[in-house]
Amino acid sequence: MMVVKKASVHRSASTTAGKAATFAAKTLVMVPDTKGSGWAKVQSEGKRGWIPSSKPSQPGTPRFISTKAIAPRAGIKSGRVIATAPKGYTMWGTGKAKSGYVQVQLFGYAGWVPSGGLKRISMANYATKQVTKLRSSAGSGKVLAAVPKAYVIRTTTNTKALSGSRVKVQYRNTTGWLATRDLKSASLQTPAGPGASSYSDSAYASVLRGHVAKWCPGVNLRVTKNAGEYYAESIPLRIPIGRKGKNDPLAPDIKATGPHECAHIKQFKVYPSGFKNLTDRAEAINPSRDGRGIEHLTDCMSDQMGAKRTGSLADGSMYRSGYGGTCTSTQKAAAKALLNGKKPVGG
């Protein structure tokens, strides 16, 4: 959705095309298509056509995603249904809210939706030009965090202060203020989070070591450029983890990977020799009998280390770490023994 200034709407993307309609100033329109030649296809209240893309500007209104199927009505609790949209549909609001209802723009029409069916999302994205400080207030407030460079950050309000020199944003789970001089605009389609250059390899590895510091202090954790590379080595004791395509070392799927490999390191320390005894025991107590008993036992160890093997990522997609399945009481007991530096019963 975009707000347009007063504009003539053409039948096609050309100044020589006939006029299809005229939009008054501050008309909120839907933009289903754009052309690289500087034109945008727009529609509102049944009128549609093309205008120069320099005409639209982002509205200072909230943006939402539906948390369930919605059917906005012309009035609050009453009136005709103007349109319908499925769960997960994004839309702009008009800035109006009343009696637990929010007015939104859907397919060029304004309608009212119960606020419980909507979740407010980013109405503007920015990318940091350099490491910048997130502060608790627009002035010289407390430093809440240091935001890495090339980090795409979102704002649900785009509130600005101090003559536009500060903007209120959401960084991970913290709301604070950033200096606009340290930011540049980013597309709303760009997921929030770090870019490929936000963390150096050494900084990335330092964060990963923090995930396993309690159980594997001082572990030689090595970051590689490969994709999907996660394993533990017994000679020498070290953990290589590939970062390609995984820009965020704090993402929950990455946080779950370290404990699993650290658990293997713990196993290697308990069994500097005779490791086959452990793999045989792990398979013997493996209820799925799929030949991956040692990996399932390692998952049980990572569970006790606090790893979350399933969950959702920042973009809403789901992840699964490890080899699946739940742990039996026997597997849990074996995992506990190994974490305490002891051989499990029967191993």
Side-chain angles (χ1 to χ4, degrees):
M1 291 291 181
M2 306 294 279
V3 168
V4 297
K5 302 174 183 178
K6 183 177 180 180
S8 294
V9 183
H10 298 266
R11 297 184 187 280
S12 62
S14 171
T15 55
T16 61
K19 187 169 71 172
T22 299
F23 286 152
K26 297 185 179 180
T27 299
L28 190 61
V29 300
M30 182 181 178
V31 185
D33 194 13
T34 59
K35 283 187 178 294
S37 56
W39 289 81
K41 188 177 184 180
V42 296
Q43 62 186 62
S44 179
E45 300 292 340
K47 301 176 183 178
R48 64 186 65 198
W50 292 85
I51 63 174
S53 57
S54 58
K55 293 285 185 181
S57 61
Q58 194 177 76
T61 53
R63 186 166 172 256
F64 300 97
I65 187 169
S66 55
T67 56
K68 58 184 178 181
I70 59 171
R73 292 183 176 273
I76 296 176
K77 298 183 181 180
S78 63
R80 67 183 178 87
V81 173
I82 64 163
T84 60
K87 177 182 178 181
Y89 195 89
T90 59
M91 69 209 81
W92 289 98
T94 65
K96 296 180 180 180
K98 185 178 180 181
S99 304
Y101 280 73
V102 174
Q103 192 179 54
V104 298
Q105 285 281 343
L106 197 61
F107 307 119
Y109 296 89
W112 293 87
V113 181
S115 58
L118 302 172
K119 177 183 178 182
R120 193 159 180 169
I121 58 174
S122 178
M123 61 176 290
N125 281 351
Y126 297 97
T128 53
K129 299 178 183 177
Q130 59 192 29
V131 177
T132 185
K133 295 176 181 178
L134 182 74
R135 295 186 178 274
S136 60
S137 65
S140 56
K142 176 184 176 182
V143 175
L144 302 175
V147 184
K149 68 177 181 179
Y151 195 105
V152 175
I153 204 158
R154 62 189 178 88
T155 171
T156 58
T157 62
N158 211 22
T159 302
K160 294 183 180 178
L162 300 180
S163 301
S165 65
R166 300 289 187 274
V167 62
K168 194 174 187 179
V169 301
Q170 288 72 48
Y171 170 63
R172 298 195 185 275
N173 295 319
T174 303
T175 296
W177 296 81
L178 291 178
T180 54
R181 67 173 181 271
D182 295 335
L183 306 173
K184 60 182 179 181
S185 295
S187 168
L188 279 172
Q189 279 66 53
T190 305
S197 62
S198 294
Y199 291 89
S200 65
D201 285 350
S202 60
Y204 196 98
S206 178
V207 174
L208 296 186
R209 279 192 287 271
H211 299 333
V212 298
K214 178 180 178 180
W215 302 98
C216 293
V219 65
N220 180 5
L221 195 153
R222 181 171 61 90
V223 171
T224 76
K225 301 294 186 182
N226 301 322
E229 184 173 54
Y230 316 107
Y231 60 93
E233 297 178 333
S234 58
I235 302 176
L237 288 173
R238 65 181 181 182
I239 302 173
I241 292 185
R243 64 173 294 182
K244 185 176 181 180
K246 299 289 185 179
N247 295 332
D248 190 358
L250 290 170
D253 57 335
I254 295 297
K255 291 179 71 173
T257 298
H260 181 96
E261 305 309 336
C262 169
H264 279 309
I265 296 293
K266 298 288 287 185
Q267 294 166 357
F268 296 150
K269 288 185 175 181
V270 175
Y271 287 85
S273 61
F275 194 74
K276 186 176 183 301
N277 292 332
L278 178 60
T279 58
D280 289 346
R281 177 57 180 165
E283 190 58 35
I285 62 175
N286 174 21
S288 62
R289 297 292 193 273
D290 59 359
R292 294 180 173 179
I294 190 64
E295 297 297 349
H296 290 298
L297 179 57
T298 306
D299 277 345
C300 297
M301 293 174 67
S302 69
D303 287 350
Q304 294 185 30
M305 296 162 70
K308 294 182 179 180
R309 289 191 273 151
T310 60
S312 59
L313 300 175
D315 62 2
S317 63
M318 303 300 294
Y319 76 89
R320 190 188 82 169
S321 179
Y323 291 78
T326 57
C327 301
T328 66
S329 58
T330 303
Q331 287 175 312
K332 290 178 181 178
K336 182 177 180 180
L338 288 164
L339 287 173
N340 288 327
K342 300 177 181 178
K343 293 182 178 181
V345 174

